[in-house]
Short mmCIF file of all heavy atoms in Angstrom, two decimals:
data_model
loop_
_atom_site.label_atom_id
_atom_site.label_comp_id
_atom_site.label_asym_id
_atom_site.label_seq_id
_atom_site.Cartn_x
_atom_site.Cartn_y
_atom_site.Cartn_z
N TRP A 1 64.54 72.28 68.35
CA TRP A 1 63.49 73.11 68.94
C TRP A 1 64.07 74.43 69.44
O TRP A 1 65.20 74.45 69.93
CB TRP A 1 62.82 72.34 70.09
CG TRP A 1 61.53 73.00 70.51
CD1 TRP A 1 61.33 73.75 71.63
CD2 TRP A 1 60.31 73.00 69.79
NE1 TRP A 1 60.06 74.23 71.64
CE2 TRP A 1 59.39 73.78 70.52
CE3 TRP A 1 59.89 72.45 68.58
CZ2 TRP A 1 58.09 74.01 70.09
CZ3 TRP A 1 58.60 72.65 68.15
CH2 TRP A 1 57.71 73.43 68.91
N PRO A 2 63.37 75.56 69.32
CA PRO A 2 61.97 75.67 68.91
C PRO A 2 61.81 75.72 67.39
O PRO A 2 62.77 76.00 66.66
CB PRO A 2 61.54 77.00 69.52
CG PRO A 2 62.79 77.82 69.50
CD PRO A 2 63.91 76.86 69.81
N ALA A 3 60.59 75.49 66.94
CA ALA A 3 60.28 75.61 65.52
C ALA A 3 60.46 77.06 65.09
O ALA A 3 60.09 77.99 65.82
CB ALA A 3 58.86 75.14 65.25
N ASP A 4 61.00 77.25 63.91
CA ASP A 4 61.16 78.60 63.38
C ASP A 4 59.89 79.10 62.72
O ASP A 4 59.61 80.31 62.74
CB ASP A 4 62.31 78.63 62.36
CG ASP A 4 63.65 78.42 63.02
OD1 ASP A 4 64.20 79.42 63.53
OD2 ASP A 4 64.14 77.29 63.06
N CYS A 5 59.12 78.19 62.11
CA CYS A 5 57.92 78.63 61.41
C CYS A 5 56.92 77.49 61.28
O CYS A 5 57.23 76.45 60.69
CB CYS A 5 58.28 79.16 60.03
SG CYS A 5 56.87 79.77 59.09
N HIS A 6 55.72 77.67 61.84
CA HIS A 6 54.59 76.77 61.60
C HIS A 6 53.72 77.39 60.51
O HIS A 6 53.22 78.51 60.68
CB HIS A 6 53.73 76.59 62.86
CG HIS A 6 54.38 75.84 63.96
ND1 HIS A 6 55.12 74.69 63.77
CD2 HIS A 6 54.38 76.03 65.32
CE1 HIS A 6 55.55 74.22 64.93
NE2 HIS A 6 55.12 75.02 65.89
N VAL A 7 53.54 76.72 59.39
CA VAL A 7 52.64 77.18 58.33
C VAL A 7 51.27 76.55 58.56
O VAL A 7 51.16 75.32 58.63
CB VAL A 7 53.17 76.80 56.93
CG1 VAL A 7 52.20 77.27 55.85
CG2 VAL A 7 54.55 77.39 56.70
N VAL A 8 50.23 77.36 58.69
CA VAL A 8 48.89 76.85 59.01
C VAL A 8 47.82 77.60 58.22
O VAL A 8 48.04 78.73 57.78
CB VAL A 8 48.57 76.96 60.52
CG1 VAL A 8 49.62 76.25 61.35
CG2 VAL A 8 48.46 78.43 60.95
N GLY A 9 46.65 76.98 58.07
CA GLY A 9 45.49 77.65 57.50
C GLY A 9 44.75 78.41 58.58
O GLY A 9 44.86 78.10 59.77
N LYS A 10 43.97 79.40 58.19
CA LYS A 10 43.32 80.27 59.17
C LYS A 10 42.28 79.52 60.01
O LYS A 10 41.97 79.96 61.13
CB LYS A 10 42.66 81.45 58.47
CG LYS A 10 41.51 81.11 57.54
CD LYS A 10 40.94 82.37 56.89
CE LYS A 10 39.77 82.06 55.97
NZ LYS A 10 39.22 83.26 55.32
N ASP A 11 41.78 78.38 59.52
CA ASP A 11 40.77 77.64 60.28
C ASP A 11 41.35 76.95 61.50
O ASP A 11 40.62 76.57 62.41
CB ASP A 11 40.07 76.61 59.37
CG ASP A 11 41.06 75.65 58.73
OD1 ASP A 11 42.18 76.08 58.39
OD2 ASP A 11 40.71 74.47 58.55
N ILE A 12 42.67 76.77 61.53
CA ILE A 12 43.30 76.11 62.69
C ILE A 12 44.27 77.05 63.41
O ILE A 12 45.12 76.61 64.17
CB ILE A 12 44.02 74.81 62.27
CG1 ILE A 12 45.05 75.07 61.16
CG2 ILE A 12 43.02 73.76 61.82
CD1 ILE A 12 45.90 73.84 60.81
N LEU A 13 44.11 78.35 63.19
CA LEU A 13 44.99 79.32 63.83
C LEU A 13 44.85 79.31 65.34
O LEU A 13 45.83 79.40 66.07
CB LEU A 13 44.70 80.72 63.27
CG LEU A 13 45.55 81.86 63.83
CD1 LEU A 13 47.03 81.61 63.60
CD2 LEU A 13 45.13 83.19 63.20
N LYS A 14 43.60 79.19 65.84
CA LYS A 14 43.38 79.18 67.29
C LYS A 14 44.19 78.09 67.98
O LYS A 14 44.79 78.32 69.03
CB LYS A 14 41.89 78.97 67.58
CG LYS A 14 41.57 78.76 69.06
CD LYS A 14 40.08 78.61 69.29
CE LYS A 14 39.53 77.32 68.69
NZ LYS A 14 38.09 77.13 69.01
N PHE A 15 44.20 76.91 67.39
CA PHE A 15 44.89 75.79 68.01
C PHE A 15 46.40 76.01 68.06
O PHE A 15 47.06 75.61 69.02
CB PHE A 15 44.57 74.50 67.25
CG PHE A 15 43.09 74.25 67.12
CD1 PHE A 15 42.42 74.50 65.94
CD2 PHE A 15 42.35 73.78 68.20
CE1 PHE A 15 41.06 74.29 65.81
CE2 PHE A 15 40.99 73.57 68.10
CZ PHE A 15 40.34 73.83 66.91
N HIS A 16 46.94 76.66 67.02
CA HIS A 16 48.39 76.88 66.95
C HIS A 16 48.85 78.13 67.68
O HIS A 16 49.99 78.18 68.14
CB HIS A 16 48.83 76.95 65.49
CG HIS A 16 48.84 75.63 64.80
ND1 HIS A 16 47.69 75.05 64.29
CD2 HIS A 16 49.85 74.75 64.56
CE1 HIS A 16 48.00 73.88 63.74
NE2 HIS A 16 49.30 73.68 63.90
N ALA A 17 47.98 79.12 67.78
CA ALA A 17 48.39 80.39 68.37
C ALA A 17 47.87 80.60 69.78
O ALA A 17 48.23 81.59 70.43
CB ALA A 17 47.93 81.55 67.48
N VAL A 18 47.03 79.68 70.28
CA VAL A 18 46.52 79.77 71.65
C VAL A 18 46.82 78.48 72.41
O VAL A 18 47.55 78.49 73.41
CB VAL A 18 45.01 80.08 71.68
CG1 VAL A 18 44.51 80.15 73.13
CG2 VAL A 18 44.71 81.40 70.97
N TYR A 19 46.26 77.38 71.95
CA TYR A 19 46.43 76.11 72.67
C TYR A 19 47.88 75.66 72.70
O TYR A 19 48.42 75.31 73.76
CB TYR A 19 45.58 75.01 72.05
CG TYR A 19 44.08 75.22 72.11
CD1 TYR A 19 43.21 74.32 71.51
CD2 TYR A 19 43.52 76.31 72.77
CE1 TYR A 19 41.84 74.50 71.56
CE2 TYR A 19 42.15 76.51 72.82
CZ TYR A 19 41.31 75.60 72.21
OH TYR A 19 39.96 75.78 72.24
N TRP A 20 48.52 75.63 71.53
CA TRP A 20 49.88 75.09 71.44
C TRP A 20 50.89 75.87 72.27
O TRP A 20 51.63 75.27 73.07
CB TRP A 20 50.30 75.02 69.97
CG TRP A 20 51.67 74.48 69.67
CD1 TRP A 20 52.60 75.01 68.83
CD2 TRP A 20 52.28 73.29 70.19
NE1 TRP A 20 53.73 74.25 68.78
CE2 TRP A 20 53.57 73.17 69.62
CE3 TRP A 20 51.87 72.31 71.10
CZ2 TRP A 20 54.44 72.13 69.92
CZ3 TRP A 20 52.74 71.26 71.40
CH2 TRP A 20 54.00 71.17 70.82
N PRO A 21 50.97 77.20 72.16
CA PRO A 21 51.93 77.90 73.02
C PRO A 21 51.60 77.76 74.50
O PRO A 21 52.51 77.77 75.33
CB PRO A 21 51.81 79.36 72.55
CG PRO A 21 50.52 79.44 71.83
CD PRO A 21 50.31 78.11 71.22
N ALA A 22 50.31 77.62 74.85
CA ALA A 22 49.96 77.43 76.26
C ALA A 22 50.49 76.08 76.76
O ALA A 22 51.02 76.00 77.88
CB ALA A 22 48.45 77.51 76.44
N PHE A 23 50.34 75.03 75.97
CA PHE A 23 50.90 73.72 76.36
C PHE A 23 52.41 73.82 76.55
O PHE A 23 52.97 73.26 77.51
CB PHE A 23 50.60 72.67 75.28
CG PHE A 23 49.14 72.35 75.09
CD1 PHE A 23 48.66 71.95 73.85
CD2 PHE A 23 48.24 72.42 76.14
CE1 PHE A 23 47.32 71.64 73.65
CE2 PHE A 23 46.89 72.12 75.97
CZ PHE A 23 46.44 71.73 74.72
N LEU A 24 53.07 74.53 75.65
CA LEU A 24 54.53 74.66 75.73
C LEU A 24 54.94 75.47 76.95
O LEU A 24 55.91 75.12 77.64
CB LEU A 24 55.06 75.32 74.46
CG LEU A 24 54.93 74.48 73.17
CD1 LEU A 24 55.24 75.34 71.94
CD2 LEU A 24 55.86 73.27 73.21
N LEU A 25 54.23 76.55 77.22
CA LEU A 25 54.53 77.35 78.41
C LEU A 25 54.39 76.52 79.68
O LEU A 25 55.23 76.58 80.58
CB LEU A 25 53.59 78.56 78.48
CG LEU A 25 53.87 79.70 77.50
CD1 LEU A 25 52.68 80.66 77.46
CD2 LEU A 25 55.15 80.45 77.88
N ALA A 26 53.32 75.72 79.73
CA ALA A 26 53.09 74.87 80.91
C ALA A 26 54.19 73.83 81.08
O ALA A 26 54.56 73.48 82.20
CB ALA A 26 51.73 74.19 80.79
N ALA A 27 54.73 73.35 79.94
CA ALA A 27 55.78 72.32 79.99
C ALA A 27 57.16 72.91 80.15
O ALA A 27 58.14 72.18 80.27
CB ALA A 27 55.71 71.48 78.72
N GLY A 28 57.26 74.25 80.15
CA GLY A 28 58.57 74.89 80.30
C GLY A 28 59.40 74.84 79.04
O GLY A 28 60.63 74.87 79.10
N LEU A 29 58.75 74.79 77.87
CA LEU A 29 59.46 74.70 76.60
C LEU A 29 59.36 76.02 75.84
O LEU A 29 58.41 76.79 76.01
CB LEU A 29 58.87 73.58 75.75
CG LEU A 29 58.99 72.17 76.34
CD1 LEU A 29 58.18 71.17 75.52
CD2 LEU A 29 60.46 71.74 76.38
N SER A 30 60.34 76.28 74.97
CA SER A 30 60.37 77.52 74.18
C SER A 30 59.21 77.54 73.19
O SER A 30 58.74 76.50 72.73
CB SER A 30 61.69 77.62 73.41
OG SER A 30 62.78 77.63 74.31
N LEU A 31 58.78 78.74 72.85
CA LEU A 31 57.65 78.92 71.93
C LEU A 31 58.14 79.05 70.49
O LEU A 31 59.26 79.49 70.22
CB LEU A 31 56.86 80.16 72.31
CG LEU A 31 56.29 80.20 73.73
CD1 LEU A 31 55.39 81.42 73.90
CD2 LEU A 31 55.53 78.93 74.05
N PRO A 32 57.29 78.68 69.53
CA PRO A 32 57.65 78.84 68.11
C PRO A 32 57.96 80.30 67.79
O PRO A 32 57.40 81.22 68.40
CB PRO A 32 56.38 78.37 67.37
CG PRO A 32 55.65 77.52 68.36
CD PRO A 32 55.96 78.08 69.70
N LYS A 33 58.81 80.51 66.81
CA LYS A 33 59.23 81.86 66.47
C LYS A 33 58.26 82.56 65.53
O LYS A 33 58.22 83.80 65.47
CB LYS A 33 60.63 81.83 65.85
CG LYS A 33 61.69 81.32 66.82
CD LYS A 33 63.07 81.35 66.20
CE LYS A 33 64.13 80.86 67.18
NZ LYS A 33 65.49 80.87 66.59
N LYS A 34 57.48 81.78 64.77
CA LYS A 34 56.54 82.41 63.83
C LYS A 34 55.40 81.44 63.53
O LYS A 34 55.62 80.24 63.35
CB LYS A 34 57.24 82.79 62.53
CG LYS A 34 56.33 83.49 61.52
CD LYS A 34 57.02 83.69 60.17
CE LYS A 34 58.13 84.71 60.27
NZ LYS A 34 58.73 84.99 58.94
N ILE A 35 54.19 82.00 63.46
CA ILE A 35 53.02 81.27 62.96
C ILE A 35 52.65 81.96 61.64
O ILE A 35 52.19 83.09 61.64
CB ILE A 35 51.83 81.32 63.92
CG1 ILE A 35 52.24 80.85 65.32
CG2 ILE A 35 50.68 80.49 63.37
CD1 ILE A 35 52.59 79.38 65.41
N LEU A 36 52.88 81.28 60.53
CA LEU A 36 52.60 81.84 59.21
C LEU A 36 51.24 81.31 58.75
O LEU A 36 51.08 80.14 58.47
CB LEU A 36 53.70 81.42 58.24
CG LEU A 36 53.73 82.09 56.87
CD1 LEU A 36 53.82 83.60 57.00
CD2 LEU A 36 54.91 81.56 56.06
N CYS A 37 50.28 82.20 58.70
CA CYS A 37 48.89 81.80 58.45
C CYS A 37 48.46 82.19 57.03
O CYS A 37 48.91 83.20 56.49
CB CYS A 37 47.98 82.48 59.48
SG CYS A 37 46.26 81.94 59.43
N HIS A 38 47.59 81.39 56.45
CA HIS A 38 47.06 81.73 55.12
C HIS A 38 45.56 81.44 55.07
O HIS A 38 45.01 80.73 55.89
CB HIS A 38 47.79 80.95 54.02
CG HIS A 38 47.60 79.46 54.08
ND1 HIS A 38 46.45 78.84 53.65
CD2 HIS A 38 48.41 78.46 54.53
CE1 HIS A 38 46.56 77.53 53.82
NE2 HIS A 38 47.74 77.28 54.36
N SER A 39 44.92 81.98 54.05
CA SER A 39 43.49 81.82 53.88
C SER A 39 43.18 80.58 53.05
O SER A 39 44.06 79.76 52.79
CB SER A 39 42.90 83.08 53.23
OG SER A 39 43.11 84.20 54.07
N HIS A 40 41.92 80.45 52.61
CA HIS A 40 41.45 79.23 51.96
C HIS A 40 41.36 79.37 50.45
O HIS A 40 41.50 80.46 49.89
CB HIS A 40 40.09 78.85 52.53
CG HIS A 40 40.13 78.46 53.96
ND1 HIS A 40 39.03 78.50 54.79
CD2 HIS A 40 41.16 78.04 54.75
CE1 HIS A 40 39.37 78.11 56.01
NE2 HIS A 40 40.65 77.84 56.01
N TRP A 41 41.08 78.25 49.80
CA TRP A 41 40.86 78.22 48.36
C TRP A 41 39.38 78.01 48.06
O TRP A 41 38.73 77.15 48.66
CB TRP A 41 41.68 77.10 47.71
CG TRP A 41 43.09 77.51 47.47
CD1 TRP A 41 44.13 77.41 48.34
CD2 TRP A 41 43.61 78.11 46.29
NE1 TRP A 41 45.27 77.92 47.78
CE2 TRP A 41 44.99 78.35 46.52
CE3 TRP A 41 43.06 78.47 45.06
CZ2 TRP A 41 45.81 78.93 45.55
CZ3 TRP A 41 43.88 79.05 44.11
CH2 TRP A 41 45.24 79.27 44.35
N LYS A 42 38.88 78.79 47.13
CA LYS A 42 37.54 78.59 46.59
C LYS A 42 37.67 78.10 45.15
O LYS A 42 38.76 78.13 44.57
CB LYS A 42 36.74 79.89 46.64
CG LYS A 42 36.46 80.40 48.05
CD LYS A 42 35.66 81.71 48.02
CE LYS A 42 35.34 82.17 49.43
NZ LYS A 42 34.57 83.45 49.42
N VAL A 43 36.57 77.65 44.59
CA VAL A 43 36.56 77.20 43.19
C VAL A 43 35.55 78.04 42.43
O VAL A 43 34.35 77.99 42.72
CB VAL A 43 36.20 75.70 43.09
CG1 VAL A 43 36.18 75.27 41.62
CG2 VAL A 43 37.20 74.86 43.88
N ASP A 44 36.06 78.83 41.48
CA ASP A 44 35.20 79.75 40.72
C ASP A 44 34.34 80.60 41.65
O ASP A 44 33.16 80.83 41.42
CB ASP A 44 34.32 78.98 39.74
CG ASP A 44 35.14 78.31 38.64
OD1 ASP A 44 36.10 78.94 38.17
OD2 ASP A 44 34.82 77.18 38.26
#
């Protein structure tokens, strides 16, 4: 720890970029170094 890179989809960005670092800050733990976000897939 800390994680160097969390790969996430844009639909769960709030949870990883707001909730998760807040939990870590409250626990006195280091924050992730990068949140790598991507978009979704459509079909045709």
Side-chain angles (χ1 to χ4, degrees):
W1 194 256
D4 291 277
C5 182
H6 291 317
V7 179
V8 303
K10 65 181 181 181
D11 57 324
I12 55 174
L13 180 58
K14 172 178 67 176
F15 305 103
H16 286 81
V18 180
Y19 296 176
W20 180 226
F23 295 150
L24 293 169
L25 286 167
L29 298 171
S30 300
L31 302 187
K33 296 182 179 180
K34 181 187 291 185
I35 306 292
L36 190 57
C37 187
H38 64 77
S39 299
H40 294 158
W41 278 87
K42 295 180 178 180
V43 179
D44 294 320

